[in-house]
Amino acid sequence: MLQRTNYLSSRYGVPDGHRIEAYLRDGGYEQAKRALGMPRKTLVDEVKAANLRGRGGAGFPMGVKWGFMPPEPKPGKPHYLVVNADEGEPGTFKDRTLMELDPHSTIEGCIIGAYGIGAHAAYVYVRDELHLSKARLWGAIEEARARGFLGPKPFGIDYTVEVYVHSGAGAYICGEETALLNSLEGKRGEPRMKPPFPAQAGAFGMPTTVNNLESIATLPTILKLGGEAFSKLSALHGMRDGGCRLFGVSGHVKTPGVFECAVGLTLRELVYDLGGGVAGGKLLAVIPGGSSTPILRHDELVDAPDPKAPLHPWHGQSVLDVPMGVDTFRGLGTMLGTCCAIVLSERACPVMAMHNLMRFYRHESCGQCTPCREGSGWLERTLDRIVGGAGTLEDLDRLHEIANNIMGNTICAFGEGTAMPALGFLRKFRREFEDFVRTHGASSPRNLAL
Amino acid sequence: MPSIKIDGRDVPFEPGDTVMRAAYRAGIEIPHYCWHPGLSSPANCRMCLVDILPPPGRPALRLDILEWSAEKNDYVVAQKSKLQPACYMQATDGMEVLSDTSDEVAKARAAIQELLLLNHPVDCPICDQAGECKLQDYWLLHQRSKKRMCDEPVHKPKAVVFGPTIVYDAERCVMCTRCIRVCDEVAQNPVLDMRERGNRNEITVAPGRQLDHGYSLMTEHVCPVGALTSSHFRFKARVWFLRSARTVCQECATGCNAHLDYDPRDNLPYRYRPRDNEAVNKYWMCDEGMLSYGRATAGRMLGAHVGGDDASIDEALHAAKDHLRGCDPARVAIVLSAQHSQEDNFALLTLGREYLGVTDVFVARRPDGLGDKVLRHVDKNPNGAGVKALVGGDGPRPLAELVAAAQKGRYSHVLALGHDVDVDVAALKSAFAGLTGSIVIASHDGPLTAALRVALPACAWTEAAGTYVNAQGMAQPTEQVLRPRGDARPGWELVARLGRALGFAIPWKTPKELARAMRGAAGSEPTHATAGAVAAEVAP
């Protein structure tokens, strides 16, 4: 159900919308001030009621995550809020718009979030390449500090909050929360083994909550509307997947961009209504939420004959008509991820698309553990040969085997993030791959960009 | 004691143990590269993946994978277990672990092994690790398939000199990070790290530095493959020609347990390897110790000499007998050696005190050196504590006192063991020049052998079984490794022969008899009365 909302993106396109004056005009920082006056439990309950599923890709309920933190910081064990803005997932560019066009919602969210988890310091870890984002966030911090919203006594309330922007150093893996923490500490950006989880020992060994930047920037809206009212914006409120969020669409669409809608939007609406339809030919497939989420073909149907299955209401319908939710898309065998879809037109070659992605994963594997380090490289080289026209069916049959051996055997989710899309492409496009191999590439449009 | 089940076998564990450590204690091998009992667990090699069954009533975590069905001519969705690294999973009471009995685990091991060898140069014929390489061992145990990747492997730097002791080959490296962790956690000197990423990463030395801390050879020791090689052992031997004997490092009073690897064909030592002993050196040795195997051959005194001239052992014993005949026990000094074994020292002390009636006992020792908080002791002698215990009372007196007294003509004879001294060498020489008789039994050339008239060649620690008491007071046995070089004989045997030449009925002729005598003497200090009585009998 397409329902545009205007909470997170209301200052997008407003002249000087990133300045504090514009933010204050819209009632900015009132919710942070209110939050600092609330009992902590009330705040956490409000966020739990909002059913905000983490916007970074895993879709974990934000309020529940906060609940993992110790109720109060122990002496010598300060809590930290870390905001993940290492937006590096291919096809994803939503957090960037928030940082560039409305950085104050993030800063206000940091105040609320820090209070919610008992932290006095929030680190916003921003992807290295996003220079304007970093500048805008620092600018917003300075403006907020000048008004007394940050510092030892924000709004005159005795609860210190400081926000810092920390630049990444150009590694995709640092979007993984524990690799991010290592990088934040100045170490090599490699994921940590869990346990301990960040809520037990995160940044600098202290209890830490890592939240996606959009999740944090949504906090003022949650408090403004009230948790339950926020959740009810969503068509999937009943599946505890609440509120509104930023949807991105890119690739072969006429009007790529970021659109704020209530949760419950379908892929068809995202591609055709918001994205303006497929540019160049018909729709071939959609990668629903960043490159790590398995691809969906345009002609796939929902197979959920069991009346108890969560997807049963959509049984027999096109996957494009299923509301985009964390649990609905998991049911489809893919993931909602970052909710930023990449659209492939039928004039593009799925073999080359997979090759492109696998090159990315080989390049970005941190190399810490064996299956990902070596497996991603083997996938890439096998695809190199196939795309070069020298591949064999034996090579093709090796691909899923390599991906199977990465799956589940790695330290972090990067392994699955490589294996799942690989298996997705193979399963959905086996015929196209076989034709490509048999004809040495002659069957392919040999296009990726139109 | 709580226990887990590994492949149906009960394995007890101590609280805090991982599955791997519990298995290790029980002597069960779970294959691994990155795990080491003395280091932290990064769980990065993934070779130790095992299947941990869910608690009863709970569903197992399954992952969707794809398999090709020839029948359907399409992929079918299959499932596999979510395996866990044994080196990181905390053991909990009643936990059931499938290791060697799970097909999925076997598949995962074969897959990891194949991935590790994917870009490996497989240059075993010229690799020093061949024969003791985990890649080789695990290929046989867990993979046994041919290489399937036909592309050019990734090329990386080779023969990178990390420092004075270590050479690195990045292509052979499996990125287990053991060497990094040895520097961080054992040597407390974080000089190694990883650079680059993905399958192009490699181990690197911190900019502007060398791998030159006191435990650099431990990086090679823990390297499970041929990536790190020691510049001392590189291209020197094939390990399958080497044999190992258990010994104790002689470089300081810590008494690190070691294996000495030697080639029986040329009777030469090739390297030390630390021998695990939780109570002493855990799994480690310092570089000084590691390189001290060379002392088995270097600087040795291989033949007897009398007054600077080469002599046979019999000639030297004859000369020694002549020297000692008619000496006044009150003017004889016994010098024990903190570098020789308990056996040698016991023999000399017994000859001196019980048969000759000597009361003045001194000790020769290497001077103190640098110590650290890891293993290296400031006392650079392997058996100082043993000598002290043998002598009893206040222990032996320092050699400096003997030199001072000899200068004044207090002594006519010195009967010594050992070669190194902790006194001024010139003073030693001038003080001993006026002695009527002086005899030394030593394994190496040194200031003592140069200063005394009659010198008898003793076996080094490698050539005779012996016991050494470390600074903690632990008596540690060593095995005979090599055949004695030159004319060398065990020190205690030379003492016994000298005693017999002097007309004493020394009862020990074999190591066993000596050991029995030592056990008998332990705890019953000889009194001066009995010693005097023996001396009276000897006196002509």
Side-chain angles (χ1 to χ4, degrees), chain B residues 231-299:
Chain B
S231 36
H232 295 82
F233 185 68
R234 209 168 141 80
F235 306 134
K236 291 287 194 309
R238 307 290 0 197
V239 296
W240 48 85
F241 290 127
L242 300 182
R243 300 289 174 270
S244 291
R246 286 169 294 187
T247 188
V248 171
C249 176
Q250 303 287 303
E251 280 305 284
C252 79
T254 302
C256 292
N257 293 207
H259 288 290
L260 185 58
D261 291 352
Y262 65 103
D263 191 331
R265 297 171 306 174
D266 56 17
N267 195 37
L268 286 174
Y270 279 82
R271 62 174 179 184
Y272 262 141
R273 284 179 298 124
R275 181 157 56 94
D276 301 355
N277 187 336
E278 284 285 354
V280 183
N281 53 314
K282 299 200 166 63
Y283 314 93
W284 319 116
M285 278 173 72
C286 71
D287 283 357
E288 281 162 31
M290 285 290 283
L291 295 176
S292 66
Y293 68 88
R295 294 274 295 157
T297 53

Coordinates of all heavy atoms in Angstrom, one line a residue, chain B residues 231-299:
Chain B
S231 N 65.8 -18.1 10.1 CA 67.0 -17.9 9.3 C 68.1 -18.9 9.7 O 69.0 -19.2 8.9 CB 67.5 -16.5 9.3 OG 67.4 -15.9 10.5
H232 N 68.0 -19.5 10.9 CA 69.0 -20.4 11.3 C 68.8 -21.8 10.8 O 69.7 -22.6 10.6 CB 69.2 -20.4 12.9 CG 69.7 -19.1 13.4 ND1 68.8 -18.0 13.6 CD2 70.9 -18.7 13.7 CE1 69.6 -17.0 14.0 NE2 70.8 -17.4 14.1
F233 N 67.5 -22.1 10.7 CA 67.1 -23.5 10.3 C 66.8 -23.6 8.8 O 66.8 -24.7 8.3 CB 65.9 -24.0 11.1 CG 65.5 -25.4 10.9 CD1 66.4 -26.4 11.4 CD2 64.4 -25.7 10.3 CE1 66.0 -27.8 11.1 CE2 64.0 -27.1 10.1 CZ 64.8 -28.1 10.5
R234 N 66.5 -22.5 8.2 CA 66.1 -22.4 6.8 C 67.1 -23.2 5.9 O 68.3 -22.9 5.9 CB 66.1 -21.0 6.4 CG 65.2 -20.5 5.4 CD 65.2 -19.0 5.4 NE 65.1 -18.5 4.0 CZ 64.0 -18.4 3.3 NH1 62.9 -18.9 3.8 NH2 64.0 -17.9 2.1
F235 N 66.6 -24.1 5.2 CA 67.3 -24.9 4.2 C 68.5 -25.8 4.8 O 69.4 -26.1 4.1 CB 67.9 -24.0 3.1 CG 66.9 -23.2 2.4 CD1 67.1 -21.8 2.2 CD2 65.7 -23.7 2.0 CE1 66.1 -21.0 1.6 CE2 64.7 -22.9 1.4 CZ 64.9 -21.6 1.2
K236 N 68.4 -26.0 6.1 CA 69.4 -26.8 6.7 C 69.1 -28.3 6.8 O 70.1 -29.1 6.8 CB 69.7 -26.3 8.2 CG 70.3 -24.9 8.2 CD 71.7 -24.9 7.8 CE 72.4 -23.6 8.2 NZ 71.7 -22.4 7.8
A237 N 67.9 -28.6 6.9 CA 67.6 -30.1 7.1 C 66.2 -30.4 6.7 O 65.3 -29.5 6.6 CB 67.7 -30.4 8.6
R238 N 65.9 -31.6 6.3 CA 64.6 -32.1 6.2 C 64.2 -32.7 7.5 O 64.9 -33.5 8.0 CB 64.5 -33.2 5.0 CG 65.1 -32.7 3.7 CD 64.4 -31.7 2.9 NE 63.2 -31.1 3.4 CZ 62.3 -30.4 2.6 NH1 62.6 -30.3 1.3 NH2 61.3 -29.9 3.1
V239 N 63.0 -32.3 7.9 CA 62.6 -32.7 9.3 C 62.5 -34.2 9.5 O 62.6 -34.7 10.6 CB 61.4 -31.9 9.8 CG1 61.6 -30.4 9.9 CG2 60.2 -32.3 9.0
W240 N 62.2 -34.9 8.4 CA 62.0 -36.3 8.6 C 63.3 -37.1 8.9 O 63.3 -38.2 9.3 CB 61.2 -37.0 7.5 CG 61.7 -36.6 6.1 CD1 62.7 -37.2 5.4 CD2 61.2 -35.5 5.3 NE1 62.9 -36.6 4.2 CE2 62.0 -35.6 4.1 CE3 60.2 -34.6 5.4 CZ2 61.8 -34.7 3.0 CZ3 60.0 -33.7 4.4 CH2 60.8 -33.8 3.2
F241 N 64.4 -36.4 8.7 CA 65.7 -37.0 9.0 C 66.1 -36.7 10.5 O 67.1 -37.3 11.0 CB 66.8 -36.5 8.1 CG 66.7 -37.0 6.7 CD1 66.7 -36.2 5.6 CD2 66.6 -38.4 6.4 CE1 66.6 -36.6 4.3 CE2 66.5 -38.9 5.1 CZ 66.5 -38.0 4.1
L242 N 65.4 -35.8 11.1 CA 65.7 -35.4 12.4 C 65.1 -36.3 13.5 O 64.0 -36.8 13.3 CB 65.4 -34.0 12.7 CG 66.0 -32.9 11.7 CD1 65.6 -31.5 12.1 CD2 67.5 -33.0 11.8
R243 N 65.8 -36.5 14.6 CA 65.2 -37.1 15.7 C 65.1 -36.1 16.9 O 65.9 -35.1 16.8 CB 66.0 -38.3 16.2 CG 66.2 -39.4 15.1 CD 64.9 -40.2 14.9 NE 65.0 -41.1 13.8 CZ 64.7 -40.8 12.5 NH1 64.3 -39.6 12.2 NH2 64.8 -41.7 11.6
S244 N 64.3 -36.3 17.8 CA 64.1 -35.4 18.9 C 64.5 -36.0 20.2 O 64.2 -37.2 20.5 CB 62.7 -34.9 19.0 OG 62.4 -34.1 17.9
A245 N 65.1 -35.3 21.1 CA 65.3 -35.8 22.5 C 64.8 -34.7 23.4 O 64.8 -33.5 23.1 CB 66.8 -36.1 22.7
R246 N 64.4 -35.1 24.6 CA 63.9 -34.2 25.6 C 65.1 -33.6 26.4 O 65.9 -34.4 27.0 CB 62.9 -34.9 26.5 CG 61.6 -35.1 25.8 CD 60.7 -36.0 26.6 NE 61.3 -37.3 26.7 CZ 60.6 -38.4 27.2 NH1 59.4 -38.2 27.7 NH2 61.2 -39.5 27.3
T247 N 65.2 -32.3 26.5 CA 66.2 -31.7 27.2 C 65.8 -30.5 27.9 O 64.6 -30.2 27.9 CB 67.4 -31.5 26.3 OG1 68.6 -31.1 27.0 CG2 67.1 -30.4 25.2
V248 N 66.7 -29.8 28.6 CA 66.4 -28.6 29.3 C 67.3 -27.5 28.8 O 68.6 -27.8 28.7 CB 66.5 -28.8 30.8 CG1 66.4 -27.5 31.5 CG2 65.4 -29.8 31.3
C249 N 66.8 -26.4 28.5 CA 67.7 -25.3 28.0 C 68.7 -24.9 29.1 O 68.4 -24.8 30.3 CB 66.8 -24.1 27.6 SG 67.8 -22.7 27.1
Q250 N 69.9 -24.6 28.6 CA 71.0 -24.3 29.6 C 71.3 -22.8 29.7 O 72.3 -22.5 30.4 CB 72.3 -25.0 29.0 CG 72.1 -26.5 28.8 CD 72.1 -27.2 30.1 OE1 73.1 -27.1 30.9 NE2 71.0 -27.9 30.4
E251 N 70.5 -22.0 29.1 CA 70.9 -20.6 29.0 C 70.6 -19.8 30.2 O 71.2 -18.7 30.4 CB 70.2 -19.9 27.8 CG 71.0 -20.2 26.5 CD 72.5 -19.9 26.5 OE1 72.8 -18.7 26.4 OE2 73.3 -20.8 26.6
C252 N 69.6 -20.2 31.0 CA 69.4 -19.5 32.3 C 68.7 -20.4 33.3 O 68.4 -21.5 33.0 CB 68.6 -18.2 32.0 SG 66.8 -18.5 31.8
A253 N 68.4 -19.8 34.4 CA 67.9 -20.6 35.6 C 66.5 -20.9 35.4 O 65.9 -21.6 36.3 CB 68.2 -19.8 36.9
T254 N 65.8 -20.4 34.4 CA 64.4 -20.8 34.2 C 64.2 -22.3 33.9 O 63.3 -22.9 34.3 CB 63.7 -19.9 33.1 OG1 63.9 -18.6 33.4 CG2 62.3 -20.2 32.9
G255 N 65.2 -22.8 33.1 CA 65.2 -24.2 32.8 C 64.0 -24.6 31.9 O 63.3 -25.5 32.1
C256 N 63.9 -23.9 30.8 CA 62.8 -24.2 29.8 C 63.0 -25.6 29.3 O 64.1 -26.0 28.9 CB 62.8 -23.2 28.7 SG 62.4 -21.5 29.2
N257 N 61.9 -26.3 29.2 CA 61.9 -27.6 28.7 C 61.9 -27.5 27.2 O 61.2 -26.7 26.6 CB 60.6 -28.4 29.1 CG 60.6 -28.7 30.6 OD1 60.0 -29.6 31.0 ND2 61.2 -27.8 31.4
A258 N 62.7 -28.4 26.6 CA 62.9 -28.2 25.1 C 63.1 -29.6 24.5 O 63.4 -30.6 25.1 CB 64.1 -27.4 24.8
H259 N 62.7 -29.6 23.2 CA 63.1 -30.7 22.4 C 64.4 -30.3 21.6 O 64.4 -29.2 21.1 CB 62.1 -31.0 21.3 CG 60.9 -31.7 21.9 ND1 60.8 -33.0 22.4 CD2 59.6 -31.2 22.0 CE1 59.6 -33.3 22.8 NE2 58.8 -32.2 22.6
L260 N 65.4 -31.1 21.6 CA 66.5 -30.8 20.8 C 66.5 -31.8 19.6 O 66.5 -33.0 19.7 CB 67.8 -31.0 21.6 CG 69.1 -30.6 20.8 CD1 69.0 -29.1 20.4 CD2 70.3 -30.8 21.7
D261 N 66.3 -31.2 18.4 CA 66.2 -32.0 17.2 C 67.6 -32.1 16.6 O 68.4 -31.2 16.4 CB 65.3 -31.3 16.2 CG 63.9 -31.3 16.6 OD1 63.6 -31.9 17.7 OD2 63.1 -30.6 16.0
Y262 N 68.0 -33.4 16.3 CA 69.3 -33.7 15.8 C 69.3 -34.7 14.7 O 68.3 -35.4 14.5 CB 70.2 -34.2 17.0 CG 69.7 -35.5 17.5 CD1 70.4 -36.7 17.2 CD2 68.6 -35.6 18.3 CE1 69.9 -38.0 17.6 CE2 68.1 -36.9 18.8 CZ 68.8 -38.0 18.4 OH 68.3 -39.2 18.9
D263 N 70.3 -34.7 14.0 CA 70.4 -35.7 12.9 C 71.4 -36.8 13.3 O 72.6 -36.5 13.5 CB 70.9 -35.0 11.6 CG 70.7 -36.0 10.4 OD1 70.8 -37.2 10.6 OD2 70.6 -35.5 9.3
P264 N 70.9 -38.0 13.6 CA 71.8 -39.1 14.1 C 72.9 -39.4 13.1 O 73.9 -40.0 13.5 CB 70.8 -40.3 14.3 CG 69.6 -40.0 13.6 CD 69.5 -38.5 13.4
R265 N 72.7 -39.1 11.8 CA 73.7 -39.4 10.8 C 75.0 -38.6 11.0 O 76.1 -39.1 10.9 CB 73.1 -39.3 9.4 CG 71.9 -40.2 9.2 CD 71.3 -39.8 7.8 NE 70.9 -38.4 7.8 CZ 70.5 -37.8 6.7 NH1 70.3 -38.5 5.6 NH2 70.2 -36.5 6.7
D266 N 74.8 -37.3 11.2 CA 76.0 -36.5 11.4 C 76.2 -36.1 12.9 O 77.2 -35.4 13.2 CB 76.0 -35.3 10.5 CG 74.7 -34.4 10.7 OD1 74.1 -34.6 11.8 OD2 74.4 -33.6 9.9
N267 N 75.4 -36.6 13.8 CA 75.6 -36.4 15.2 C 75.6 -34.9 15.5 O 76.4 -34.4 16.3 CB 76.8 -37.1 15.7 CG 76.9 -37.2 17.2 OD1 75.9 -37.4 17.8 ND2 78.1 -37.0 17.8
L268 N 74.7 -34.1 14.8 CA 74.7 -32.7 15.0 C 73.3 -32.2 15.4 O 72.3 -32.8 15.0 CB 75.1 -31.9 13.7 CG 76.6 -32.0 13.3 CD1 76.7 -31.4 11.9 CD2 77.4 -31.3 14.3
P269 N 73.3 -31.2 16.3 CA 72.0 -30.6 16.7 C 71.6 -29.6 15.6 O 72.4 -29.0 15.0 CB 72.3 -29.9 18.0 CG 73.8 -29.5 17.8 CD 74.4 -30.5 17.0
Y270 N 70.3 -29.5 15.3 CA 69.8 -28.6 14.3 C 68.9 -27.5 14.9 O 68.8 -26.4 14.3 CB 69.0 -29.4 13.2 CG 70.0 -30.0 12.2 CD1 70.7 -31.2 12.5 CD2 70.4 -29.3 11.1 CE1 71.6 -31.7 11.7 CE2 71.3 -29.8 10.2 CZ 71.9 -31.0 10.5 OH 72.9 -31.5 9.6
R271 N 68.2 -27.8 15.9 CA 67.3 -26.7 16.4 C 66.8 -27.2 17.8 O 66.7 -28.4 18.1 CB 66.2 -26.4 15.5 CG 65.3 -27.6 15.3 CD 64.0 -27.2 14.5 NE 63.2 -28.4 14.3 CZ 62.1 -28.5 13.5 NH1 61.7 -27.4 12.9 NH2 61.4 -29.6 13.4
Y272 N 66.3 -26.2 18.5 CA 65.5 -26.4 19.7 C 64.1 -26.2 19.3 O 63.8 -25.4 18.5 CB 65.9 -25.3 20.8 CG 66.8 -25.8 21.8 CD1 67.8 -24.9 22.3 CD2 66.7 -27.0 22.4 CE1 68.7 -25.2 23.3 CE2 67.6 -27.4 23.5 CZ 68.6 -26.5 23.9 OH 69.4 -26.8 24.9
R273 N 63.2 -26.8 20.0 CA 61.8 -26.5 20.0 C 61.3 -26.5 21.4 O 61.7 -27.4 22.2 CB 61.0 -27.5 19.2 CG 61.1 -27.4 17.7 CD 60.3 -28.5 17.0 NE 60.7 -29.8 17.3 CZ 60.0 -30.8 17.8 NH1 58.7 -30.5 18.1 NH2 60.4 -32.0 18.1
P274 N 60.5 -25.6 21.8 CA 60.0 -25.6 23.2 C 59.2 -26.9 23.4 O 58.5 -27.4 22.5 CB 59.0 -24.4 23.3 CG 59.4 -23.5 22.1 CD 59.9 -24.4 21.1
R275 N 59.3 -27.4 24.6 CA 58.5 -28.6 25.0 C 57.6 -28.1 26.1 O 57.9 -27.5 27.0 CB 59.5 -29.6 25.6 CG 59.0 -30.9 26.0 CD 60.1 -32.0 26.0 NE 61.2 -31.6 26.9 CZ 61.4 -32.0 28.1 NH1 60.5 -32.7 28.7 NH2 62.4 -31.6 28.8
D276 N 56.3 -28.3 25.8 CA 55.2 -27.8 26.7 C 55.4 -28.2 28.1 O 55.6 -29.4 28.4 CB 53.8 -28.2 26.2 CG 53.5 -27.8 24.8 OD1 54.4 -27.1 24.2 OD2 52.5 -28.2 24.3
N277 N 55.4 -27.2 29.0 CA 55.4 -27.5 30.4 C 54.8 -26.3 31.1 O 55.3 -25.3 31.3 CB 56.8 -27.7 31.0 CG 56.8 -28.2 32.4 OD1 55.8 -27.9 33.2 ND2 57.9 -28.8 32.9
E278 N 53.5 -26.5 31.5 CA 52.7 -25.5 32.1 C 53.4 -24.9 33.3 O 53.2 -23.7 33.6 CB 51.3 -26.0 32.5 CG 50.4 -26.2 31.3 CD 49.8 -24.9 30.8 OE1 50.1 -23.8 31.4 OE2 49.1 -24.9 29.7
A279 N 54.2 -25.7 34.0 CA 54.8 -25.2 35.3 C 56.0 -24.4 35.1 O 56.5 -23.7 36.0 CB 55.0 -26.4 36.2
V280 N 56.6 -24.5 33.9 CA 57.9 -23.8 33.7 C 57.8 -22.8 32.6 O 57.7 -21.6 32.8 CB 59.1 -24.8 33.4 CG1 60.4 -24.1 33.3 CG2 59.1 -25.9 34.5
N281 N 57.9 -23.3 31.4 CA 57.9 -22.4 30.2 C 56.7 -22.3 29.4 O 56.6 -21.7 28.4 CB 59.1 -22.7 29.3 CG 59.1 -24.2 28.9 OD1 58.8 -25.1 29.8 ND2 59.2 -24.5 27.7
K282 N 55.6 -23.0 29.9 CA 54.4 -23.1 29.2 C 54.7 -23.7 27.8 O 55.0 -24.9 27.7 CB 53.6 -21.8 29.1 CG 53.3 -21.3 30.5 CD 52.2 -20.3 30.5 CE 51.6 -20.1 31.9 NZ 52.6 -19.5 32.8
Y283 N 54.6 -22.9 26.7 CA 54.8 -23.4 25.4 C 56.0 -22.7 24.7 O 56.2 -22.8 23.5 CB 53.6 -23.2 24.5 CG 52.3 -23.6 25.3 CD1 51.6 -22.6 26.0 CD2 51.9 -24.9 25.3 CE1 50.5 -23.0 26.8 CE2 50.8 -25.3 26.1 CZ 50.1 -24.3 26.8 OH 49.0 -24.7 27.5
W284 N 56.8 -21.9 25.5 CA 57.6 -20.9 24.9 C 59.1 -21.1 25.3 O 59.4 -21.7 26.3 CB 57.2 -19.5 25.2 CG 55.7 -19.3 25.2 CD1 54.9 -19.0 26.2 CD2 54.8 -19.5 24.0 NE1 53.6 -19.0 25.8 CE2 53.5 -19.2 24.5 CE3 55.1 -19.8 22.7 CZ2 52.4 -19.3 23.6 CZ3 54.0 -19.9 21.9 CH2 52.7 -19.6 22.3
M285 N 60.0 -20.5 24.5 CA 61.4 -20.3 24.8 C 61.8 -18.9 24.2 O 61.2 -18.5 23.3 CB 62.2 -21.4 24.2 CG 62.3 -22.7 25.0 SD 63.1 -24.0 24.1 CE 64.8 -23.5 24.2
C286 N 62.8 -18.4 24.8 CA 63.3 -17.1 24.3 C 64.3 -17.4 23.2 O 64.8 -18.5 23.0 CB 64.0 -16.3 25.4 SG 65.6 -17.0 25.9
D287 N 64.6 -16.3 22.4 CA 65.5 -16.5 21.3 C 66.9 -16.9 21.7 O 67.5 -17.8 21.1 CB 65.7 -15.1 20.5 CG 64.4 -14.9 19.7 OD1 63.5 -15.7 19.6 OD2 64.4 -13.8 19.0
E288 N 67.4 -16.4 22.8 CA 68.7 -16.8 23.3 C 68.8 -18.3 23.5 O 69.7 -19.0 23.1 CB 69.1 -16.1 24.6 CG 69.6 -14.7 24.5 CD 69.5 -13.9 25.8 OE1 69.6 -14.6 26.9 OE2 69.2 -12.7 25.7
G289 N 67.7 -18.8 24.2 CA 67.6 -20.2 24.5 C 67.5 -21.0 23.2 O 68.2 -22.0 23.0
M290 N 66.6 -20.5 22.3 CA 66.4 -21.3 21.1 C 67.6 -21.4 20.2 O 67.8 -22.4 19.5 CB 65.3 -20.5 20.2 CG 63.9 -20.6 20.7 SD 63.2 -22.3 20.5 CE 62.8 -22.3 18.7
L291 N 68.5 -20.4 20.3 CA 69.7 -20.5 19.5 C 70.9 -21.2 20.2 O 71.9 -21.3 19.6 CB 70.1 -19.1 19.0 CG 69.1 -18.5 18.1 CD1 69.5 -17.0 17.7 CD2 68.9 -19.3 16.8
S292 N 70.7 -21.5 21.5 CA 71.8 -22.0 22.2 C 72.1 -23.5 22.0 O 73.0 -24.1 22.5 CB 71.5 -21.8 23.7 OG 70.4 -22.6 24.2
Y293 N 71.3 -24.1 21.1 CA 71.6 -25.5 20.7 C 73.0 -25.6 20.1 O 73.7 -26.6 20.2 CB 70.6 -26.1 19.7 CG 70.6 -25.4 18.4 CD1 71.5 -25.9 17.4 CD2 69.9 -24.3 18.1 CE1 71.5 -25.3 16.1 CE2 69.9 -23.7 16.8 CZ 70.8 -24.2 15.9 OH 70.8 -23.6 14.6
G294 N 73.5 -24.5 19.6 CA 74.8 -24.4 19.0 C 75.9 -24.7 20.0 O 77.0 -25.1 19.6
R295 N 75.6 -24.4 21.2 CA 76.6 -24.7 22.3 C 77.0 -26.1 22.4 O 78.0 -26.5 23.1 CB 76.1 -24.1 23.6 CG 75.9 -22.6 23.6 CD 77.2 -21.9 24.0 NE 77.6 -22.1 25.4 CZ 78.8 -22.0 25.8 NH1 79.8 -21.6 25.0 NH2 79.1 -22.2 27.1
A296 N 76.2 -27.0 21.9 CA 76.5 -28.4 21.9 C 77.8 -28.7 21.1 O 78.5 -29.7 21.4 CB 75.3 -29.3 21.4
T297 N 78.1 -27.9 20.2 CA 79.3 -28.2 19.4 C 80.3 -27.0 19.4 O 81.5 -27.2 19.3 CB 78.9 -28.3 17.9 OG1 78.1 -27.2 17.5 CG2 78.1 -29.6 17.7
A298 N 79.8 -25.8 19.7 CA 80.7 -24.6 19.6 C 81.4 -24.5 20.9 O 80.9 -24.7 22.0 CB 79.9 -23.4 19.3
G299 N 82.7 -24.1 20.8 CA 83.5 -23.8 22.0 C 83.8 -25.0 22.9 O 84.1 -24.8 24.1

